[in-house]
Amino acid sequence: MAGQQFQYDDSGNTFFYFLTSFVGLIVIPATYYLWPRDQNAEQLRLKSLRRVHGRCLWYRLRLMKSQQSIVPTLKKAALLFGWAVFLFLAYKVSKLDREYQEYNPYEVLKLEAGASIAEIKKQYRVLSLKHHPDKGGDEAMFMKLAKAYSALTNEESRNNWEMYGNPDGPRVTSFGIALPAWIVDQKNSMLVLLVYGLAFMVILPVVVGTWWYRSIRYSGDQILINTTQLFMHFMYKTPTMNMKRLVMVLTAAFEFDPRSNKEAIIRPTDNIEVPQLIRELGNINVKKKEPPFCYPYSLKARVLLLTHLARMDVSENVEEDQRFVMKKCPALLQEIINVGCQLTMMATSRGGLRAPRLSSIENCMKLSQMVVQGLQEAKSPLLQLPHFEEEHLRYCISKKYKVRTLQDLVSLKDSDRRNMLRFLGEEKYEEVLAVLGSFPYINMETKLQVLDDEDSNNITAGSIVTVTVTLTRKRMSEMFEKEEDAPPPTEETNAEEQGDAKTNKTKVWQNKNKGAKKAAKSKKKKLTKKKPVTQQQAKGDKAKQANGNVAGNDVAAASKAEEDDLSDKGSESDEAEGNKDSPSERDEESDKQSDTEVDEIAGDDEEEWEALQQSIQRRERALLETKSKVTHPVYSLYFPEEKQEWWWLYIADRKEQTLVSMPNHVCTLKDTEEVELKFPAPSKTGNYQYSVILRSDSFMGLDQIKPLKLEVHEAKALMDNHPQWDIPETEEEEDDQEDSDGIEESEEDEEDND
């Protein structure tokens, strides 16, 4: 058996192949992921947002960062250098000579395979005379010719070449290693061993260990585990947490402690600037001795947060630290909400634990809005708009206009709005309208049902209730467009406008369910008290409502014509009824009615089945799809980072101050989003009044609350003998039964014959 031989690359040619492949595997993916995105596209995006978001702090910081940052340039330079090395190595490899060539004596003699001995001798004579060293030929070529001639003329050598590819017989199997020979040279052994040990025994373990110990300190939402435990402790300790207490708990997070987070900075000037800000703010519980509220980092973060909410001017160093604190606050508040939900679930499942009150969780949501907008809780939501100051609010809350919310401002007529905002110039007024028009208006529709049940509309005690909420986002500018596009009033629409004058006073976003229900009840009462109305009178009343300003003679003429038509139709119906006196026709009619009822029931079942299948498909798509969390940029004058519009959607019992369903953080509402909220129905029967609540995490004054009535019935008793357990006998069993009966009958007949 042939031996084995390992050969290192003495010339270094194969090492270039390895090096080229290695550099290519690094450069190609790095270019795809690290190459800076098109700066022109970002500039165009910022340019399109300039009209609305031009005064926002995050917008101005983004412009400065794009102008001053050299990181994209360094990335491009590093990637271009990598590509230059890769192309150089590829060029080097293309110029390398092929060292190994398969030996073929026929090619050496320039003959076709299978040539005869005579042809081989003749060709060898010609070529040997040409390449003989004595006649000025190539000696190496002459030796190749001699070897090829002997290999093809000697029978043993020819057989070896045909069997093993070598005239000398089987040779040693060699394995080439694409590393230079100097790496395994004994002179360089200590250096190679030192580099190997340093790379794989020092650098690699240190890098992996550092990454591991840093990663285990954070949760999946990139919040420190110690911070989550801190929030858990205080949420359980104080179930009812007011806003002041919540601010203290939020700013005690370890993200603001320099010992836990290197991004947090304690400056020497803090001993001078922080006490000065405390004196300006007033009472902020400085003397609180409870740790960690008394720690310097917590006190500083609290001061920075309160100065942000008060929109106070601070120095450059304090402003830089303030931006760092504000960027962390939304994620930390979301973590507090998650902790509150976990405690609520634990208290519901185990019992005996104190669950956080609904007001504590809602205060977290309000504080998130306050942080993004830079406003205190008691301030007017109109201060979110540009050019609005405290002194300007007196124009809005006057007796004439009574504008206190953004919705009130939108619902005003353009002339009244311009007159009220007369303190603004024309340019500033247009900017205010552009910003106000970019604010979101959410249309919320709810559907209550019990999935995976025979009667999805019947809610029984303990069943899992699913509330499907459809959210449709619109811009408030569409309200302006509706007002501008409204057609001029005509004589025909005057009566309708007068009749709907009261309903038009209510805003578009106000809930009309109560009024509609009261009107429906009053209509029912009136209908029961009044005498039965004929068809002629009903149509006459409709004609009067449609033409309120038409003369009385026209109405009378129209009513007469309708009476004539009805009399004709009545005579036709009488004739038709007279023709249906035979019993056979009545039976046919009853059969048709029963068939139609069966078809309607089957149609309802098919609709329920389709709805169930659609909900299942929707859930599967939701699991597979990953929607982008980039929705719409938030208009925030004082927040240092671009924030996307996100919402909290949940169901609560506001009377008991408890959560019914856990808050769903809707982060993908760009145009329309469908969210399913599930909760167990109460164990006792009766009527329950819940609320479906939608809260923004960025805007103040845009929250919505929609009532949700729940009528819980008794659960159906379990059936001992349910039809689904009555398994019918199969055809084979029936055949066996028949065969056995036949055998028994034949045996009886034989006995009788005997």
Side-chain angles (χ1 to χ4, degrees):
M1 181 178 177
Q4 296 180 352
Q5 181 181 1
F6 293 92
Q7 296 180 354
Y8 286 88
D9 184 16
D10 295 331
S11 60
N13 292 342
T14 55
F15 179 67
F16 280 106
Y17 286 97
F18 167 75
L19 198 60
T20 304
S21 304
F22 182 76
V23 173
L25 289 174
I26 295 176
V27 169
I28 295 173
T31 305
Y32 179 78
Y33 289 105
L34 300 179
W35 186 265
R37 301 305 177 200
D38 189 6
Q39 297 296 319
N40 294 329
E42 179 66 14
Q43 293 296 331
L44 290 174
R45 189 183 77 89
L46 292 176
K47 189 176 181 180
S48 65
L49 298 174
R50 182 174 183 179
R51 181 170 178 264
V52 175
H53 301 272
R55 293 185 178 273
C56 296
L57 176 62
W58 68 264
Y59 186 88
R60 291 184 276 117
L61 292 175
R62 181 67 62 83
L63 286 179
M64 293 172 58
K65 185 178 179 180
S66 61
Q67 294 174 359
Q68 298 176 359
S69 179
I70 60 171
V71 175
T73 305
L74 294 177
K75 285 184 178 179
K76 286 183 178 180
L79 292 173
L80 290 175
F81 175 76
W83 275 103
V85 173
F86 176 73
L87 294 176
F88 172 76
L89 292 173
Y91 174 77
K92 187 78 175 175
V93 166
S94 65
K95 294 296 183 181
L96 293 177
D97 294 332
R98 187 179 177 186
E99 292 185 350
Y100 174 74
Q101 293 182 355
E102 185 179 358
Y103 179 74
N104 190 345
Y106 288 104
E107 291 183 358
V108 175
L109 293 175
K110 298 179 181 180
L111 291 172
E112 294 182 359
S116 62
I117 300 296
E119 292 176 347
I120 293 171
K121 292 181 178 180
K122 181 179 179 181
Q123 183 69 9
Y124 172 70
R125 190 179 300 108
V126 172
L127 293 176
S128 61
L129 291 174
K130 180 179 179 181
H131 296 285
H132 199 282
D134 296 341
K135 297 183 178 181
D138 187 4
E139 185 177 358
M141 188 61 190
F142 181 77
M143 295 299 294
K144 289 181 180 180
L145 293 172
K147 184 178 179 181
Y149 176 74
S150 61
L152 294 177
T153 54
N154 188 350
E155 184 177 356
E156 183 179 357
S157 299
R158 187 168 184 170
N159 291 334
N160 286 335
W161 179 81
E162 290 178 353
M163 293 178 62
Y164 305 107
N166 187 21
D168 300 329
R171 52 186 176 179
V172 177
T173 303
S174 62
F175 296 92
I177 300 176
L179 290 176
W182 59 267
I183 290 181
V184 293
D185 192 356
Q186 189 175 3
K187 297 178 181 178
N188 304 324
S189 59
M190 292 301 296
L191 179 62
V192 173
L193 186 62
L194 179 64
V195 173
Y196 180 85
L198 187 65
F200 292 97
M201 300 180 67
V202 178
I203 298 177
L204 185 61
V206 167
V207 171
V208 174
T210 304
W211 169 81
W212 173 251
Y213 285 112
R214 283 184 180 178
S215 61
I216 61 174
R217 294 171 59 228
Y218 292 89
S219 64
D221 297 327
Q222 297 302 310
I223 303 295
L224 288 170
I225 301 294
N226 294 335
T227 299
T228 304
Q229 294 174 352
L230 178 75
F231 292 160
M232 183 79 73
H233 169 74
F234 284 108
M235 284 293 285
Y236 182 76
K237 184 179 180 181
T238 54
T240 304
M241 192 177 294
N242 57 18
M243 194 63 73
K244 285 186 178 180
R245 179 78 173 178
L246 179 60
V247 170
M248 294 173 66
V249 172
L250 173 64
T251 53
F254 288 97
E255 272 77 2
F256 307 133
D257 188 357
R259 294 172 297 180
S260 301
N261 188 4
K262 294 182 179 180
E263 296 180 5
I265 301 175
I266 295 294
R267 304 177 188 274
T269 56
D270 292 343
N271 296 327
I272 301 173
E273 294 178 341
V274 173
Q276 184 179 355
L277 294 174
I278 292 174
R279 287 192 295 270
E280 294 180 10
L281 288 170
N283 183 21
I284 61 168
N285 296 330
V286 179
K287 297 181 181 180
K288 191 79 173 178
K289 299 300 181 182
E290 182 182 4
F293 304 143
C294 58
Y295 294 164
Y297 82 88
S298 177
L299 182 61
K300 179 183 177 181
R302 195 188 322 158
V303 170
L304 295 178
L305 176 58
L306 294 175
T307 53
H308 171 74
L309 298 180
R311 295 185 176 183
M312 294 172 53
D313 295 330
V314 293
S315 62
E316 292 184 2
N317 291 335
V318 175
E319 186 178 7
E320 184 178 352
D321 297 341
Q322 188 183 61
R323 292 172 185 171
F324 165 73
V325 173
M326 294 307 106
K327 289 178 182 179
K328 295 286 185 181
C329 282
L332 293 173
L333 287 168
Q334 178 61 37
E335 186 67 16
I336 298 178
I337 294 173
N338 294 338
V339 167
C341 295
Q342 293 174 11
L343 291 174
T344 303
M345 294 173 63
M346 292 169 61
T348 304
S349 59
R350 297 182 183 179
L353 299 176
R354 293 186 299 176
R357 303 286 288 176
L358 177 63
S359 58
S360 301
I361 296 175
E362 289 183 339
N363 282 337
C364 296
M365 300 177 183
K366 292 177 183 177
L367 185 56
S368 177
Q369 300 172 1
M370 294 159 55
V371 168
V372 174
Q373 296 298 332
L375 277 177
Q376 296 174 346
E377 184 180 10
K379 296 298 182 180
S380 171
L382 296 175
L383 295 176
Q384 298 174 104
L385 299 173
H387 311 299
F388 267 78
E389 301 295 340
E390 289 282 350
E391 60 270 15
H392 298 150
L393 296 178
R394 59 188 178 88
Y395 297 103
C396 303
I397 61 176
S398 61
K399 294 182 179 180
K400 183 178 180 181
Y401 300 108
K402 297 181 181 179
V403 174
R404 298 182 181 276
T405 63
L406 298 171
Q407 293 88 340
D408 294 339
L409 185 58
V410 171
S411 62
L412 282 178
K413 293 182 179 179
D414 189 51
S415 57
D416 294 339
R417 191 187 302 113
R418 187 68 190 95
N419 188 29
M420 185 187 71
L421 302 179
R422 57 186 178 275
F423 58 89
L424 297 175
E426 193 63 31
E427 185 177 350
K428 292 182 178 179
Y429 177 74
E430 293 295 332
E431 184 179 350
V432 169
L433 288 187
V435 172
L436 183 61
S438 68
F439 277 34
Y441 162 60
I442 307 299
N443 184 22
M444 182 168 58
E445 297 179 358
T446 58
K447 182 181 179 182
L448 184 67
Q449 57 185 346
V450 179
L451 298 178
D452 303 331
D453 200 352
E454 294 178 355
D455 189 1
S456 60
N457 296 322
N458 185 24
I459 300 172
T460 57
S463 61
I464 302 299
V465 182
T466 301
V467 179
T468 305
V469 184
T470 304
L471 303 175
T472 305
R473 185 198 185 272
K474 299 180 181 178
R475 301 170 72 244
M476 284 193 177
S477 60
E478 296 181 16
M479 303 304 163
F480 298 143
E481 293 172 2
K482 287 181 180 179
E483 293 176 2
E484 294 172 358
D485 297 341
T490 59
E491 293 181 356
E492 296 180 356
T493 58
N494 284 337
E496 295 179 357
E497 290 178 357
Q498 291 175 2
D500 298 337
K502 294 181 180 180
T503 56
N504 288 337
K505 288 181 180 179
T506 58
K507 276 70 176 178
V508 180
W509 32 79
Q510 288 181 351
N511 192 5
K512 300 180 182 179
N513 292 335
K514 294 182 179 179
K517 290 177 181 177
K518 289 180 180 178
K521 289 181 180 178
S522 63
K523 286 181 180 179
K524 287 181 181 179
K525 290 179 181 178
K526 290 178 182 178
L527 289 173
T528 54
K529 289 180 181 178
K530 288 183 179 180
K531 295 179 181 180
V533 182
T534 61
Q535 295 179 354
Q536 293 90 341
Q537 292 175 351
K539 291 202 173 183
D541 294 338
K542 289 181 180 178
K544 289 178 182 178
Q545 292 177 0
N547 303 313
N549 295 330
V550 182
N553 54 0
D554 295 336
V555 176
S559 62
K560 285 181 181 180
E562 290 175 356
E563 287 176 1
D564 296 337
D565 295 337
L566 288 171
S567 63
D568 296 337
K569 291 180 180 177
S571 62
E572 292 175 0
S573 63
D574 293 338
E575 292 176 359
E577 289 177 359
N579 294 329
K580 290 183 180 178
D581 291 336
S582 60
S584 60
E585 291 179 353
R586 291 178 182 176
D587 294 337
E588 290 178 0
E589 184 180 358
S590 62
D591 293 338
K592 289 180 180 179
Q593 289 178 356
S594 61
D595 293 339
T596 54
E597 290 177 357
V598 171
D599 293 339
E600 288 177 357
I601 294 171
D604 294 338
D605 294 339
E606 289 179 359
E607 289 179 359
E608 291 180 1
W609 175 255
E610 290 178 359
L612 180 61
Q613 292 298 319
Q614 288 177 1
S615 64
I616 294 173
Q617 292 175 3
R618 188 165 55 248
R619 286 182 224 164
E620 292 177 352
R621 285 197 301 268
L623 291 173
L624 296 175
E625 291 179 1
T626 54
K627 294 184 179 180
S628 173
K629 292 187 177 182
V630 178
T631 56
H632 301 275
V634 174
Y635 184 85
S636 52
L637 287 169
Y638 296 94
F639 196 68
E641 193 174 37
E642 184 176 0
K643 178 78 172 62
Q644 300 296 320
E645 285 182 14
W646 294 343
W647 305 82
W648 284 294
L649 182 65
Y650 58 98
I651 301 174
D653 187 348
R654 302 188 67 80
K655 184 178 180 181
E656 299 293 333
Q657 280 291 301
T658 55
L659 281 172
V660 177
S661 74
M662 298 301 108
N664 192 325
H665 202 195
V666 184
C667 303
T668 56
L669 178 56
K670 197 166 186 180
D671 297 314
T672 304
E673 189 73 18
E674 198 171 74
V675 184
E676 289 186 352
L677 301 177
K678 296 186 178 183
F679 63 93
S683 58
K684 296 181 180 179
T685 60
N687 294 326
Y688 295 86
Q689 184 72 33
Y690 294 152
S691 299
V692 181
I693 304 173
L694 178 70
R695 291 191 183 275
S696 172
D697 69 346
S698 306
F699 293 105
M700 298 176 65
L702 298 184
D703 302 336
Q704 294 188 33
I705 300 176
K706 195 168 186 177
L708 181 69
K709 284 189 176 181
L710 205 68
E711 186 177 356
V712 181
H713 303 281
E714 290 186 1
K716 296 180 181 179
L718 295 176
M719 298 178 64
D720 296 334
N721 297 323
H722 196 275
Q724 68 181 4
W725 301 113
D726 296 339
I727 303 174
E729 295 180 353
T730 60
E731 295 180 358
E732 294 180 358
E733 292 176 349
E734 292 177 356
D735 295 338
D736 295 340
Q737 184 82 19
E738 293 176 358
D739 295 339
S740 62
D741 293 340
I743 293 170
E744 290 176 356
E745 290 176 357
S746 63
E747 289 177 353
E748 291 176 356
D749 294 338
E750 289 176 359
E751 290 176 358
D752 294 337
N753 294 328
D754 295 338

